[in-house]
Amino acid sequence: MPPRIYADNAATTRLSEKALEAMLPYFREEFGNPSAIHSYGVEAKKALEDARRRTAKVLGALSTEIFFTSGGTESDNWAIRGVAEQKGGKGGHIVSSRAEHNAVLKTLEKLEGEGFETTYLEPDRLGRISPEDLERSIRPDTILISLMTANNVTGTIQNVKELARVASLRRVAFHTDAVQAAGHVPVNCRDLGVDLLSVSAHKFHGPKGVGVLYAKIPRLPPPLLTGGGQERGGRSGTENVPGAVGLATALEEAAERTREAPGALEALRDRLISGILEIEGAALTGDPVNRLPGHASFVFEGIGHSARLVNSLNEAGICASSGSACSASSQEASHVLLSMGYSPREALGSLRLTLSHENTMEEAEFIIEKVRESALRHRTRPAT
Ligand SMILES: Cc1ncc(COP(=O)(O)O)c(C=O)c1O
């Protein structure tokens, strides 16, 4: 196979060597069940609690506010369904936005069928939610606000601190999906002032199938999964000890990387953006300033469906995405771009290139060259 350049880090990332090494003993020698009282159980429990403490430290939380889950989807489901159940389970009003991930939107859709009412805020052209709009949307029966920290399609970072402040002043629980943000920009739960926050390890070079729900005391929602009462009764199921160890290690490593080489990834991203914007018909999507450090996303005028562009790039050895990973194989325009005011035709021409610290400037230059070639090849009509 020819050399490949991986530029789809918003979909998932390579597991870090350090995280893998840290996990291996808990598959091999120390494979115990943390609930067991013998020495294998004790060692596993120690590792789990150590991982919880380290995770809490990076996320600006208490250990008792960190609950390990199977990933971002479960954390989002637990936060939203949990609050709905906590508030009686029979109705109430929830505020969110049209630009959220489907883990939030589909959960809300189900709750609508169960008698809950929802208001979806419209982001602006850059993907930002206005605190004033949020303020206006809150009703006496509003039980929850769920707004993401950073968007998976455009990389736009919200002013979550301000949005959470609005919620707090109106005494409404605030959940944020920080799956794309954690490990990429500082995420400090206490400082953000949120009640509930979702994290997923595979987005920051941790393993797949493990995540976190941060729940500020005493905001822990009732469990989604019932059974043996693990995670202090919050989430039943034998704990994924290697996963938790891998998550904590990768999260610490990511925080260290940003401390030690601030701006390194942004420099790669900015070169990619400036190079691609020189291509006729290309436009940046999302906030040009407040965006994830490795996230470059575009729409291309006049190329039709960007899957053709992604396929050509793949043939050149570049792994990119036409939008979000979950909708990459569908022919539908991204609901995120539509919510930001793009027409279906514009949104179909979207390309997402998401870099990590493993990418190089040479790769960025190569990507620019290949995107230019592919865009020219697929242009069906002149850009206007
Ligand atoms: C913003 C956002 N939320 C939630 C998820 C789901 O996370 P997981 O894959 O860990 O279930 C993703 C994954 O693409 C995401 O980007």
Side-chain angles (χ1 to χ4, degrees), residues 79-379:
I80 296 168
R81 284 210 149 266
V83 172
E85 191 186 319
Q86 208 166 32
K87 303 288 176 184
K90 291 199 177 56
H93 175 238
I94 303 175
V95 180
S96 189
S97 105
R98 295 263 174 228
E100 297 295 311
H101 189 271
N102 273 336
V104 167
L105 292 179
K106 296 287 174 188
T107 307
L108 292 176
E109 216 174 89
K110 276 211 86 186
L111 286 176
E112 285 161 18
E114 296 168 24
F116 288 85
E117 287 182 46
T118 43
T119 297
Y120 295 99
L121 303 174
E122 303 288 345
D124 67 10
R125 184 75 172 182
L126 302 185
R128 299 170 305 188
I129 298 292
S130 131
E132 291 75 29
D133 284 355
L134 174 61
E135 172 87 54
R136 276 191 291 273
S137 72
I138 299 174
R139 309 191 321 205
D141 62 340
T142 305
I143 56 167
L144 175 69
I145 295 162
S146 180
L147 293 168
M148 71 206 310
T149 312
N151 188 272
N152 48 307
V153 174
T154 61
T156 295
I157 301 172
Q158 289 303 335
N159 189 347
V160 168
K161 194 168 173 168
E162 183 56 26
L163 298 168
R165 205 178 64 85
V166 172
S168 163
L169 288 173
R170 302 289 295 270
R171 298 192 183 286
V172 179
F174 189 93
H175 164 249
T176 188
D177 174 336
V179 166
Q180 291 289 338
H184 299 278
V185 290
V187 170
N188 184 301
C189 300
R190 195 68 65 214
D191 184 47
L192 289 175
V194 299
D195 298 300
L196 298 154
L197 180 141
S198 307
V199 167
S200 177
H202 76 101
K203 304 290 188 182
F204 50 83
H205 304 274
K208 292 172 181 60
V210 61
V212 159
L213 179 66
Y214 157 82
K216 182 177 168 183
I217 294 169
R219 289 288 199 181
L220 180 67
L224 197 64
L225 302 182
T226 46
Q230 287 89 345
E231 293 291 281
R232 300 189 310 290
R235 198 253 182 199
S236 289
T238 301
E239 300 91 334
N240 177 358
V241 179
V245 170
L247 182 149
T249 308
L251 191 61
E252 281 179 344
E253 217 183 349
E256 215 173 277
R257 211 166 24 240
T258 353
R259 264 197 312 274
E260 281 175 7
L265 190 51
E266 283 91 339
L268 270 188
R269 174 202 66 189
D270 291 346
R271 172 60 199 131
L272 196 58
I273 291 177
S274 66
I276 289 182
L277 289 184
E278 282 173 17
I279 303 170
E280 199 191 343
L284 186 72
T285 61
D287 193 320
V289 180
N290 294 315
R291 64 187 302 127
L292 289 170
H295 200 115
S297 54
F298 309 89
V299 283
F300 285 81
E301 169 76 28
I303 60 153
H305 197 296
S306 60
R308 294 154 70 204
L309 199 57
V310 172
N311 285 332
S312 300
L313 291 174
N314 189 40
E315 281 162 24
I318 297 163
C319 304
S321 155
S322 61
S324 63
C326 8
S327 62
S329 55
S330 94
Q331 296 292 305
E332 281 174 32
S334 153
H335 70 266
V336 174
L337 294 177
L338 296 179
S339 78
M340 290 159 60
Y342 287 87
S343 69
R345 192 170 59 85
E346 287 171 319
L348 277 176
S350 70
L351 176 72
R352 183 181 74 176
L353 295 155
T354 44
L355 306 173
S356 81
H357 63 284
E358 294 182 337
N359 292 108
T360 63
M361 201 51 99
E362 290 70 39
E363 289 180 346
E365 297 296 344
F366 184 73
I367 294 172
I368 294 166
E369 189 189 313
K370 291 298 165 190
V371 170
R372 179 180 291 113
E373 277 175 28
S374 307
L376 286 177
R377 187 157 4 116
H378 294 301
R379 191 170 301 293

